[in-house]
């Protein structure tokens, strides 16, 4: 190879004579992408391949895949390289690049798999690296190497596809598992909550007949406490499977945050300092207590994990004006900001933080469902959530939920009591124990009750001419469901105040509380006091 000796290291200069004999189409390129040496054959075959010429102007890299310019070749040192010479159709070089003191040296030669191409390209056997004199070995080796390169490329592509498919399959299995858990939880909740409803209801009725000094009174109180604990377990199961019905109601954020603070303080440890700050003018919000607590608990525990060496965690609450959803006119909302001084997040993490199964935790320490659940719960509450973070500077999650509108004045207690007295209720439930319990509770509160075991019996009562002030119906029943029964009733007899009850329902509208003013949803098990209060609210409207 002829080259300016001052541009190449002594070690390369020593090998120059040998390389010139072995690789007549070899060349060297400096760090800037300019040729500093060229094999002797280039002068007669392609004079443009000369000292000072730009590699990117002369050659196009066909392999490795993804290499588009000279600077990228440094990532492929030692790998098989296939180069196409610009302006010479059919002429390709096969070899590899060796790196030395910032320069790259190409060692290899022309690439072909048919001896007939020699004359067409103006080549001779002596233009190639060592081979047998007949050229058979050259053609055989190059043909085999072509197949091997194609197979390697195919194998690499297949490995990538298999890895991606394996990941998708794992995610699908996780989703299917969660759906299975949700269905199992729903079925268990429906039956279990009906049982708890009967136990709790009859126990509380028994308390009204027992003197407080009677030892049995204390035993029955323990039964009530045990059923309450069982109900909380069912509630937790439904929350985990994201099928828990929302109970939208006025919430005192001070009380909610105090509850969360009590729960998380023992979990934060001594190295994390928690501060809760509420605006003195803070108003009540309209939300679901369980969902709001779950959101805050999740964010607080995530913040703890982001501060392995300790730090400061704050929850700040303030009223403000914001557009929810985006594009609408600004309205009153309440902002809850959860801020930590932890490790923070990069842009990629922030962009994917609410995606299901995305997690930055070690294997076995999280499946990436926590923040996606938070995102879904905030949306169910009619709010928004956003994240602000920088690496090393901590993270802030901002939740904004609607401000509670002023409630319309409600009728006086005396007015409601007059409406309760003698008001006729149509009670529909396919569970005999629950139906008898509810009938006893309603009669105790002064209602006149007609019962039905299903929607068909209820419609028959209405067709017979009976009229009612209230409809109290289970959601899941053989035949028509509770909502379907309500639609039939209102289509024939006009609007009727309705209370839906259920141990579990897959009706999203009921779970989110998206009901007209004359309807309510009460999840089982509920207390007699819950039932009395909800029916009075319906009559008050």
């Amino acid at each position: 190879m002829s080259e300016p000796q001052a541009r190449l290291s002594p070690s390369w200069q020593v090998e120059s004579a040998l390389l010139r004999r072995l690789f007549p189409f070899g060349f060297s390129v400096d760090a800037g992408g300019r040729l500093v040496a060229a094999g002797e054959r280039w002068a007669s075959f392609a004079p443009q391949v000369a000292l000072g010429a730009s590699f990117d102007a002369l050659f196009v890299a066909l392999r490795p895949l993804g290499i588009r310019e000279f600077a990228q070749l440094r990532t492929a040192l030692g790998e098989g390289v296939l180069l196409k010479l610009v302006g010479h159709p059919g002429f390709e070089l096969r070899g590899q690049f060796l790196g030395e003191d910032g320069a790259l040296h190409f060692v290899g030669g022309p690439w072909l798999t048919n001896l007939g191409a020699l004359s067409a390209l103006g080549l001779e056997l002596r233009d190639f690296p060592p081979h047998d004199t007949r050229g058979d070995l050259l053609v055989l080796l190059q043909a085999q190497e072509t197949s091997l390169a194609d197979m390697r490329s195919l194998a690499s592509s297949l490995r990538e596809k298999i890895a991606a498919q394996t990941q998708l399959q794992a995610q699908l299995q996780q989703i299917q598992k969660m759906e299975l858990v949700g269905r199992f939880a729903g079925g268990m909740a429906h039956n279990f909550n009906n049982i708890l409803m009967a136990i709790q209801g009859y126990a509380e009725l028994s308390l009204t007949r027992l003197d407080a000094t009677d030892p049995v009174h204390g035993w029955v109180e323990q039964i009530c406490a045990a059923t309450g604990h069982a109900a909380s377990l069912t509630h937790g199961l439904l929350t985990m499977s994201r099928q828990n019905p929302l109970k939208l109601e006025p919430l005192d954020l001070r009380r909610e945050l105090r509850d969360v603070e009590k729960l998380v303080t023992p979990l934060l440890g001594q190295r994390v300092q928690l501060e809760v700050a509420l605006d003195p003018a803070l108003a009540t919000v309209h939300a679901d207590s369980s969902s709001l607590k779950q959101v805050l608990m999740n964010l607080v525990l995530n913040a703890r994990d982001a501060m392995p060496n300790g730090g400061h965690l704050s929850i700040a609450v303030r009223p403000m004006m914001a557009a929810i959803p985006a594009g609408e006119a600004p309205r009153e909302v309440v902002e809850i900001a959860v801020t930590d001084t932890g490790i923070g997040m990069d842009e990629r993490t922030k962009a994917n933080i609410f995606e299901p199964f995305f997690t930055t935790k070690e294997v076995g320490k999280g499946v990436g469902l926590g923040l996606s659940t938070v995102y879904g719960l905030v949306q169910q509450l009619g709010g928004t959530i956003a994240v602000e973070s920088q690496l090393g500077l901590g993270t802030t999650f901002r939740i904004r939920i609607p401000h509670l509108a002023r409630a319309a004045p409600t009728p006086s207690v005396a007015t409601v009591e007059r409406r309760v007295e003698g008001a006729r209720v149509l009670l529909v439930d396919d569970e005999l124990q629950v139906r008898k319990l509810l009938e006893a509770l309603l009669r105790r509160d002064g209602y006149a009750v007609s019962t039905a075991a299903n929607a068909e019996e209820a419609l028959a009562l209405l067709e017979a001419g009976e009229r009612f002030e209230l409809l109290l119906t289970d959601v899941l029943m053989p035949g028509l469901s509770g909502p379907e029964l309500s639609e039939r009733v209102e289509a024939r007899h006009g609007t009727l105040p309705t209370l839906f009850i259920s141990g579990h329902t897959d009706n999203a509208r009921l779970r989110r509380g998206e009901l007209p003013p004359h309807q309510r949803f009460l999840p089982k098990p509920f207390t007699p006091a819950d039932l009395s209060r909800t029916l009075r609210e319906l009559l008050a409207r």
Side-chain angles (χ1 to χ4, degrees), residues 5-216:
Q5 301 294 318
R7 301 287 296 276
L8 299 176
S9 68
S11 62
W12 184 259
Q13 295 173 24
V14 171
E15 303 295 333
S16 178
L18 175 60
L19 292 172
R20 184 167 56 250
R21 291 196 301 272
L22 292 177
F23 304 105
F25 278 98
F27 57 87
S28 299
V29 187
D30 65 14
R34 297 286 176 178
L35 268 64
V36 294
E40 297 176 351
R41 187 69 169 86
W42 286 115
S44 59
F45 183 79
Q48 69 270 30
V49 183
L51 304 187
S54 168
F55 173 89
D56 289 335
L58 295 172
F59 300 103
V60 175
L62 303 179
R63 291 187 180 140
L65 298 176
I67 301 296
R68 290 292 179 267
E69 55 188 17
F70 171 73
Q72 295 175 300
L73 284 171
R74 295 188 180 278
T75 65
L77 296 182
E79 294 187 31
V81 175
L82 189 62
L83 301 177
K84 175 184 177 182
L85 179 63
V86 176
H88 284 256
F91 180 79
E92 296 174 354
L93 292 173
R94 174 70 178 182
Q96 59 182 310
F97 279 96
L98 306 177
E100 184 262 352
D101 292 341
L104 294 184
H105 310 292
F106 175 77
V107 291
W111 182 252
L112 52 86
T113 56
N114 187 333
L115 286 177
L118 285 172
S119 59
L121 293 173
L123 298 172
E124 301 177 10
L125 287 177
R126 63 186 179 87
D127 292 330
F128 294 82
H131 53 81
D132 71 333
T133 55
R134 295 172 304 169
D136 294 340
L137 180 60
L138 167 70
V139 174
L140 176 64
L141 288 177
Q142 291 206 351
Q144 294 298 322
E145 192 173 350
T146 298
S147 299
L148 181 61
D150 291 339
M151 290 178 65
R152 284 177 177 171
S153 176
L154 177 61
S156 175
S157 176
L158 285 174
R159 279 196 299 270
E160 292 177 0
K161 290 181 179 179
I162 290 172
Q165 185 175 4
T166 301
Q167 183 180 11
L168 289 173
Q169 186 173 6
Q171 292 180 354
L172 177 60
Q173 289 175 345
Q174 183 68 19
I175 292 172
Q176 290 173 334
K177 183 171 70 175
M178 292 301 293
E179 288 180 350
L180 183 61
V181 169
R183 291 177 185 175
F184 175 76
M188 285 290 293
H190 179 71
N191 295 318
F192 193 52
N193 282 333
N194 275 328
I195 297 171
L196 289 177
M197 181 81 221
I199 296 173
Q200 185 176 28
Y202 282 117
E204 294 200 16
L205 277 178
S206 300
L207 285 176
T208 63
R209 300 294 184 91
L210 292 171
D211 190 273
T213 59
D214 191 326
V216 178

Side-chain angles (χ1 to χ4, degrees), residues 412-434:
S412 66
V413 173
T415 301
V416 175
E417 290 299 333
R418 286 197 300 271
R419 292 183 184 176
V420 168
E421 188 62 36
R424 294 189 56 79
V425 178
L426 176 55
L427 169 62
V428 191
D429 199 304
D430 61 311
E431 290 288 337
L432 179 61
Q433 284 183 320
V434 175

